[in-house]
Amino acid sequence: MNESLLRELVPEVIGVLVRRGAGFAAAEDAVQDALVEAVRRGWPDGEAPRDPKGWLITAAWRKFLDAVRADTSRRRREELVDAEPPPGEGAAVDDTLQLYFLCAHPSLTPASATALTLRAVGGLTTRQIARAYLVPEATMAQRISRAKRTVADVRFDQPGDVATVVRVLYLVFNEGYSGDVDLSAEAIRLTRQLAARTRHEEVAGLLALMLLTHARRPARTAADGRLVPLAEQDRGLWDTRMIAEGVGILQAALARDRLGEFQAQAAVAALHADAPTAAETDWVQIVEWYDELVRLTDSPVARLNRAVAVGEADGAQAGLAALAELDDGLPRYTAVAAYLHERAGDPRTAARLYARAARTAPTVPERDHLTREAARLNARLRG
């Protein structure tokens, strides 16, 4: 069987799995795993089975069932993790952290290693990983498939570097904090372990960032599940012990004078945590830290957050000017524009933008929040 004919079977096999109840992304991942298995068995170059399509369907369905079982087991393990990770040194390093290092293999690029680790060990779906990287789901699926093929026959005796593992843990925490699956406590646990075995400044910066962010979690949602913006949160609900630990870790890392992006992000989080009220937030310093973050990463997300900070420090018009320099296709760009237009005294434009942002919100709580903001302004305009 030639390779082109094998590729032609892929859409048909994916279709069969979808009809059997698998989601499209899960079906695509399962078929890719089955193809890797086919390559290991020596075809298409060698002897192919009598019914290649039937073999692929059977193999892919088994891969899908294995993935479902693994996901179920992972969810059960997560339920055993305490919602509030305890302060102090982490427990002895376990196999999970070692798997993170092994998936970050030197034969892979950092981007591919990160994507593969998030999928294989972190438990994230292809869609969640694509959203974190701001790329289409199909693009990320191809990237993960290529990474799987690359490491299919390599020896896993050369673990990857710390920087790649740190990046994976950061993305897992972010998805756990704002996504559909609560992985944040597990990410903190593993980052504690990593911090206990290395003096890497960015590991410390990431742990500080996680703790300072996680400390606000009790105030982030109301009793009815509504999302509560930072400015409106009850700061009495913030975990002051966790904040103190995070600030201490950050200060020790910054004292080594080797600034990195996670330390800069943690410094922003620390300034928010230090403000007794939203009105007393030191936005000037926050803008300065975002300037450092942009210098370090040139990240469009950092530039977007900087525009918000500029709007708070120098006025809404200055924030809108900073926003105008960015790509309006960025996630949450429209929501930021709506907020700044409202601050600038233009509720009509803000209401329209809030409604537009709600239609593309990445999570249900965020969508509902933006819808309520649009309704609030429309009610004011009608009154």
Side-chain angles (χ1 to χ4, degrees):
M1 169 176 283
N2 59 49
E3 189 173 348
S4 63
L5 185 56
L6 183 62
R7 285 199 298 267
E8 289 175 7
L9 289 174
V10 169
E12 296 180 49
V13 178
I14 290 175
V16 171
L17 266 63
V18 170
R19 288 193 293 274
R20 288 185 179 184
F24 181 81
E28 192 174 50
D29 286 342
V31 173
Q32 292 291 347
D33 288 342
L35 290 174
V36 171
E37 182 66 23
V39 172
R40 286 175 176 169
R41 287 171 177 260
W43 58 290
D45 296 326
E47 183 178 352
R50 183 174 303 172
D51 180 9
K53 180 179 175 181
W55 187 96
L56 275 177
I57 290 172
T58 301
W61 185 248
R62 287 174 179 168
K63 296 291 185 182
F64 169 72
L65 293 178
D66 288 343
V68 170
R69 294 188 189 104
D71 186 65
T72 300
S73 298
R74 177 184 56 76
R75 288 173 184 268
R76 287 173 181 167
R77 289 196 303 270
E78 290 169 6
E79 291 173 359
L80 299 177
V81 179
D82 292 335
E84 301 294 345
E89 296 294 332
V93 176
D94 64 13
D95 290 343
T96 305
L97 187 59
Q98 186 64 19
L99 284 173
Y100 273 72
F101 272 97
L102 290 176
C103 283
H105 197 271
S107 63
L108 297 172
T109 65
S112 295
T114 301
L116 177 62
T117 312
L118 288 169
R119 185 74 184 92
V121 188
L124 273 64
T125 66
T126 304
R127 178 174 297 179
Q128 289 170 325
I129 301 169
R131 188 171 65 200
Y133 273 89
L134 309 180
V135 299
E137 184 176 352
T139 300
M140 183 52 65
Q142 292 173 359
R143 185 179 300 177
I144 293 171
S145 297
R146 285 196 298 269
K148 288 178 180 178
R149 289 195 296 271
T150 299
V151 300
D153 297 314
V154 302
R155 289 173 56 86
F156 280 87
D157 55 0
Q158 294 179 280
D161 67 333
V162 172
T164 300
V165 175
V166 168
R167 171 66 53 186
V168 173
L169 289 170
Y170 170 69
L171 292 172
V172 170
F173 176 82
N174 275 355
E175 186 59 41
Y177 189 74
S178 60
D180 301 324
V181 183
D182 186 359
L183 300 168
S184 51
E186 174 70 357
I188 291 174
R189 184 182 73 84
L190 293 173
T191 306
R192 285 192 187 282
Q193 292 181 359
L194 187 56
R197 62 184 281 185
T198 179
R199 282 181 54 80
H200 197 292
E201 292 80 10
E202 281 292 81
V203 175
L206 177 60
L207 180 56
L209 173 62
M210 288 179 172
L211 293 172
L212 289 164
T213 304
H214 202 71
R216 301 197 300 260
R217 188 163 195 145
R220 192 170 181 265
T221 55
D224 59 2
R226 288 185 301 108
L227 186 67
V228 181
L230 178 61
E232 300 172 18
Q233 289 178 12
D234 179 357
R235 299 184 178 220
L237 297 176
W238 291 0
D239 189 325
T240 55
R241 182 181 62 175
M242 195 176 293
I243 289 172
E245 183 189 6
V247 169
I249 292 170
L250 173 62
Q251 289 175 338
L254 290 175
R256 299 174 204 166
D257 198 24
R258 296 182 63 182
L259 184 64
E261 62 174 296
F262 296 117
Q263 295 169 73
Q265 288 191 58
V268 171
L271 286 166
H272 283 300
D274 186 57
T277 65
E280 296 173 87
T281 303
D282 190 342
W283 287 106
V284 173
Q285 271 204 70
I286 289 176
V287 171
E288 292 173 355
W289 277 112
Y290 273 125
D291 287 339
E292 290 288 344
L293 191 56
V294 168
R295 180 183 62 81
L296 289 165
T297 68
D298 197 29
S299 162
V301 175
R303 291 181 180 277
L304 186 67
N305 291 332
R306 179 185 177 277
V308 176
V310 168
E312 299 289 351
D314 301 327
Q317 292 298 339
L320 287 169
L323 187 66
E325 299 175 1
L326 307 180
D327 180 358
D328 62 6
L330 278 173
R332 298 188 172 89
Y333 178 100
T334 307
V336 169
Y339 174 76
L340 290 173
H341 275 287
E342 181 181 1
R343 294 264 302 170
D346 185 359
R348 191 174 303 279
T349 299
R352 175 173 52 80
L353 291 172
Y354 275 130
R356 183 193 302 171
R359 292 193 289 271
T360 57
T363 66
V364 173
E366 189 170 343
R367 180 201 65 195
D368 292 345
H369 169 71
L370 293 168
T371 301
R372 283 192 297 270
E373 292 296 282
R376 173 179 59 82
L377 291 179
N378 282 326
R380 184 198 302 176
L381 290 167
R382 287 193 299 269

